[in-house]
Amino acid sequence: MPTIESRPYSVPSQRSVAADIRLIEPAVGIDEIPDVWEPGQDLVLRISAELGRDFWDESGIPEGEEVTLVGTVTCLAARTKWRGASQMVRAGESWAADIEIEIDGSAVAVEALVDVAVIGSGRTGHPDPARAEHRSARLWRLPAAVKIPFERLGDDFPTSAVSFAETGRRRVPWRVDVTHDAEPTWGLTSAVRLYVNTDLPVAASILDGTAERWIYQSIQADIYTATLFQLAAVRDGYSSSAITESAESDVSSFAAFCVHVAAVLGFDLDIALRLASEDPTQFIERAREASGFMREEA
């Protein structure tokens, strides 16, 4: 008896499906996220798709057969995934669907990948009726996942200007926030951020670089202490060699920044972390000294 090979279900061309991906909270372009997103801030993503007239013929199924739009958001760094689905319904002469996916801002880091597909019953062409349909076939999908970046790599320290009154922060000129579960492998801008309080007049000078020198020295000392305190708090889960490897393999990582800070303080990383854990007062004083805080210059 001859062997009959089943053929793959037909996959429509990219032209037969029009898809749109946009952020509605915050309402900014995807490439603008690193400039406005704060760690912990939730996001809402809207995915829309409309089937072209060629979709049904190209996929080999009758028009109106049930198909579903599926969107998946994956954060590899945080090993977390969100999914949304909506059945395609007739909209005039076409078929369309919308999905809204809420992304937990406390569970993402570095970047998220958005995959979009149309799922339905694909025809395989197999002579055995039990094998003639693939009931959860990807009839169409984006050719490549869309990337949502949560950090922008560059020379500037990650900084955001926000109203502290509106965001529930104390009335201070600035604050250095480190994500409570930041790990050595995270990118720097996912792990730590400097917030400048726009409620106070000094914010403008801090942001444009014209503030008093001691202000920048104080900010620098705060950054030194906040970052190494965090790494000291999570270091039990990582060997020194693992942290060093992360720093060497990615110069933009949180680990690499902490290694740099330790060097600025005049320590190797192990000594700096031990000092941060065992004698935080002395560590703060050392950080202020290294930043030149209130130092008189001739």
Side-chain angles (χ1 to χ4, degrees):
M1 180 176 179
T3 300
I4 301 176
E5 295 183 356
S6 63
R7 63 178 178 82
Y9 52 86
S10 177
V11 178
S13 68
Q14 294 302 313
R15 293 190 302 273
S16 69
V17 178
D20 179 71
I21 301 172
R22 66 182 61 196
L23 284 162
I24 57 175
E25 290 184 24
V28 298
I30 287 177
D31 59 348
E32 298 176 80
I33 278 291
D35 300 321
V36 302
W37 180 74
E38 302 178 21
Q41 178 185 4
D42 292 345
L43 303 99
V44 179
L45 189 72
R46 175 175 291 163
I47 301 172
S48 305
E50 182 176 330
L51 305 182
R53 292 183 176 180
D54 296 337
F55 174 84
W56 306 102
D57 289 338
E58 292 184 3
S59 59
I61 62 177
E63 181 175 355
E65 182 169 291
E66 182 176 326
V67 292
T68 303
L69 177 67
V70 176
T72 305
V73 180
T74 305
C75 180
L76 298 176
R79 298 181 291 277
T80 309
K81 182 178 292 187
W82 296 266
R83 185 180 184 273
S86 178
Q87 186 176 337
M88 288 282 187
V89 296
R90 184 182 288 278
E93 297 183 357
S94 63
W95 296 78
D98 292 302
I99 302 169
E100 287 191 5
I101 300 176
E102 185 171 344
I103 302 168
D104 182 354
S106 65
V108 292
V110 186
E111 67 182 20
L113 301 176
V114 184
D115 185 41
V116 182
V118 176
I119 305 296
S121 182
R123 280 19 175 211
T124 68
H126 198 285
D128 182 350
R131 301 181 181 180
E133 294 187 14
H134 181 338
R135 297 189 180 279
S136 296
R138 289 182 180 236
L139 302 175
W140 174 91
R141 69 177 300 178
L142 285 178
V146 173
K147 182 185 296 185
I148 301 178
F150 295 108
E151 59 185 53
R152 192 185 302 284
L153 301 180
D155 296 330
D156 294 334
F157 189 83
T159 303
S160 294
V162 298
S163 165
F164 281 25
E166 293 179 2
T167 55
R169 294 177 170 90
R170 295 186 180 277
R171 187 176 170 80
V172 293
W174 67 83
R175 173 173 168 168
V176 180
D177 278 1
V178 182
T179 306
H180 71 90
D181 55 351
E183 301 178 1
T185 55
W186 285 27
L188 178 63
T189 55
S190 292
V192 60
R193 182 164 292 270
L194 167 67
Y195 292 97
V196 179
N197 185 2
T198 56
D199 302 326
L200 302 180
V202 72
S205 60
I206 291 175
L207 295 168
D208 66 20
T210 61
E212 295 289 335
R213 182 171 57 86
W214 69 267
I215 290 179
Y216 296 111
Q217 293 169 339
S218 183
I219 291 174
Q220 188 174 52
D222 287 350
I223 291 171
Y224 289 168
T225 55
T227 52
L228 286 188
F229 280 154
Q230 170 62 24
L231 189 56
V234 301
R235 69 164 301 181
D236 287 346
Y238 301 89
S239 65
S240 297
S241 59
I243 296 174
T244 301
E245 183 179 349
S246 295
E248 292 176 348
S249 62
D250 184 359
V251 296
S252 65
S253 68
F254 182 52
F257 184 77
C258 289
V259 169
H260 165 72
V261 170
V264 171
L265 299 183
F267 303 123
D268 66 28
L269 186 61
D270 282 338
I271 294 175
L273 295 179
R274 187 163 59 250
L275 184 62
S277 297
E278 298 175 0
D279 195 343
T281 300
Q282 183 180 344
F283 180 78
I284 291 171
E285 291 176 353
R286 183 70 189 93
R288 288 177 174 175
E289 179 184 17
S291 69
F293 178 62
M294 299 299 287
R295 181 186 301 162
E296 294 291 339
E297 292 186 355

